[in-house]
Structures are given as C-alpha cells and as structure tokens.
Amino acid sequence: MILCVGLATLDLVYRVDRVPGADEKAQASSVEVAAGGPAANAAVTAARLGAPVTLVTAVGAHPLGALIRSDLEAHNVRLIDVAEGSEGLPPISTVIVAGRTGERTIVSRNAGDLTYGVPGRGLPDAELTLVDGHHPVLAVAAAREAERLVVDAGTWRPVFADILPQADVIACSAGFRHPAGFTAPHVIVTHGPGPVTWSHDGRTEEIPVPPVDAVDTAGAGDAFHGALAQALHSGAAVRAAITEAIRVAGVRVRHPGPRTWLDAL
C-alpha cells in the first residue's frame, strides 16, 4: 500500500479566456469541483494507476467536506480523516485556469494554523509513504515510521528540516529552496517543460521531457508525484519511475479540468 499524508482541499476550478485584472469580472467557460491539494491529487493519481492508496488528512464534518470525501471515494482512495467531527470549513482553493495558455492562478486557504495529531489507532503500515509537509505533526510521524519515504517538497516549510533527512526520494521544483541545503539518496528536480534533473550517488543526470501542448497545468506536479510513488511502489527503478512520472504529468497538462485527464491514462 501507498500511504499519502498531507493536504486535501476542496478545489473550485474555473476556466477563463484570460485571468481577470483588478476590479474586473470574467465569465468562466466551465467550472468544476473536486478534491485537491498535493497529497490528495497524488493519491488519486496513484490509485488510478492501480496502487492501493490510503490518504491521511483533515477534512472534518462541514458539509463542504462531503464533496472531498465523495471525490476521493469515487477514485478509490481510502480516507483517514484526523479532523473527523470538526465542524470548521475544510481547506478551500479557487483555481483559475487561463484557456489560452493553460497557466493557473490559485487563491487558497490551506491547513492554516490548525494542528491535528496522529489518530489513536496510529498510522497504517505501508510499503511506501508520500508526505507533502502539510499538517506537520502527521508529516513527522509518517516520516519516522515510513519504510520508504518520498517527499513532495513544494514550498519550503520548517517541518521539512525534520522530514528531509529521512527521505529516500525528494521531489521538488526548481524554485524550492532549503535554507541550509539538503541531500538524500535521490533528489529529483522538475523544471516545468525543461528536463528533469536526478541527483544520486554523487552525480546528476538530466531526463528529457517530451514537448506537449499544455491546456491546463493545475496539479501537474501532484500528478508527477503520485505517478512517481506508484511506479516506485510497483518495483520500478528510480530512473524508470521518473520517466513514468514525466509521462503522466504530460497527460495531465494536455487535458482541461481536475479529473477528466485520468481517463487518458
């Protein structure tokens, strides 16, 4: 099993011709609602690729949380909700996708200052664990217990200082900056449409990214991480897993919307 630990949001995804400016209104050509967040999107991707996946996150009992639960269930992701019974709003993101370029603008209120502990029954055993650094108490506990740890290192978070030293694989974008630097057996850096760099055993390789016509880049990194986790879980070597993750991310950006792209895998 793959254990994903981190953020789940309710995403409201609007597609527009162009992102509106200040004091400007825009009519969306489409709107979709789905579960989002790095860990949730990675979990959905890995599950669609055939892995058994459990997501540990905070959703709660608010009516909007039911939309997150429903989407995860529809995509075969088992949910462990550490905020069960909480009536507060779940994390919510508004995603605006520019139809002409596929670029996205995101306004979100993520986990904020809310702190959730490990469930009383503990975390389930897993062959591979993916954490995104959200919900720090959960992230640290999952990292310490992980048999094999993959870290989605998005924006720098202080909790990464405790998590990254335990990682087997760190996957981040070129813009990620650790104040003190970091190492791991495998460090994977994505550069948008540019080649992915893979550092291991004291050397760095470049893995090419085939050109694609991008229509929606929202969640492409999450798809990359989910596919990477699934490939590693299935026994693929790291280079092969990176190549598969590149393929899946390429499928993601070629299709509009948060979920329709899964049908093309």
Side-chain angles (χ1 to χ4, degrees):
M1 183 190 74
I2 296 174
L3 181 66
C4 295
V5 179
L7 184 65
T9 67
L10 179 65
D11 280 3
L12 309 176
V13 184
Y14 297 90
R15 191 169 186 85
V16 297
D17 288 338
R18 62 178 180 82
V19 177
D23 295 323
E24 183 180 3
K25 295 182 179 179
Q27 182 66 33
S29 59
S30 66
V31 60
E32 296 175 83
V33 179
N41 283 333
V44 167
T45 301
R48 186 52 178 254
L49 292 169
V53 181
T54 295
L55 172 66
V56 180
T57 188
V59 176
H62 190 280
L64 290 178
L67 299 175
I68 300 174
R69 293 174 181 276
S70 176
D71 188 45
L72 294 173
E73 181 179 356
H75 291 92
N76 299 313
V77 175
R78 177 193 175 211
L79 172 64
I80 296 178
D81 182 9
V82 298
E84 190 173 14
S86 170
E87 297 182 357
L89 276 170
I92 299 174
S93 294
T94 296
V95 184
I96 302 174
V97 180
R100 296 176 184 175
T101 64
E103 297 173 321
R104 81 283 193 271
T105 299
I106 301 174
V107 179
S108 61
R109 174 63 176 170
N110 293 334
D113 299 326
L114 299 176
T115 300
Y116 297 99
V118 177
R121 58 187 177 276
L123 298 173
D125 294 332
E127 291 80 29
L128 184 141
T129 299
L130 171 69
V131 300
D132 65 10
H134 291 271
H135 301 303
V137 173
L138 290 172
V140 171
R144 288 174 177 169
E145 296 179 17
E147 181 176 324
R148 189 178 191 188
L149 180 64
V150 177
V151 177
D152 168 2
T155 303
W156 164 253
R157 302 176 187 281
V159 71
F160 283 136
D162 295 321
I163 293 173
L164 296 185
Q166 302 176 69
D168 180 67
V169 178
I170 298 171
C172 59
S173 67
F176 179 76
R177 293 291 182 269
H178 188 308
F182 62 93
T183 60
H186 301 277
V187 177
I188 300 163
V189 182
T190 59
H191 300 79
V196 172
T197 57
W198 169 36
S199 299
H200 62 105
D201 300 322
R203 57 197 176 96
T204 299
E205 301 180 37
E206 285 193 349
I207 301 176
V209 173
V212 298
D213 294 324
V215 299
D216 188 347
T217 61
D222 305 337
F224 181 96
H225 298 134
L228 179 72
Q230 188 277 334
L232 292 172
H233 178 264
S234 70
V238 176
R239 185 184 182 90
I242 296 171
T243 300
E244 169 66 358
I246 291 170
R247 180 191 74 82
V248 170
V251 174
R252 169 67 193 96
V253 302
R254 288 198 301 269
H255 296 82
R259 294 288 181 256
T260 56
W261 71 278
L262 295 168
D263 294 333
L265 287 176

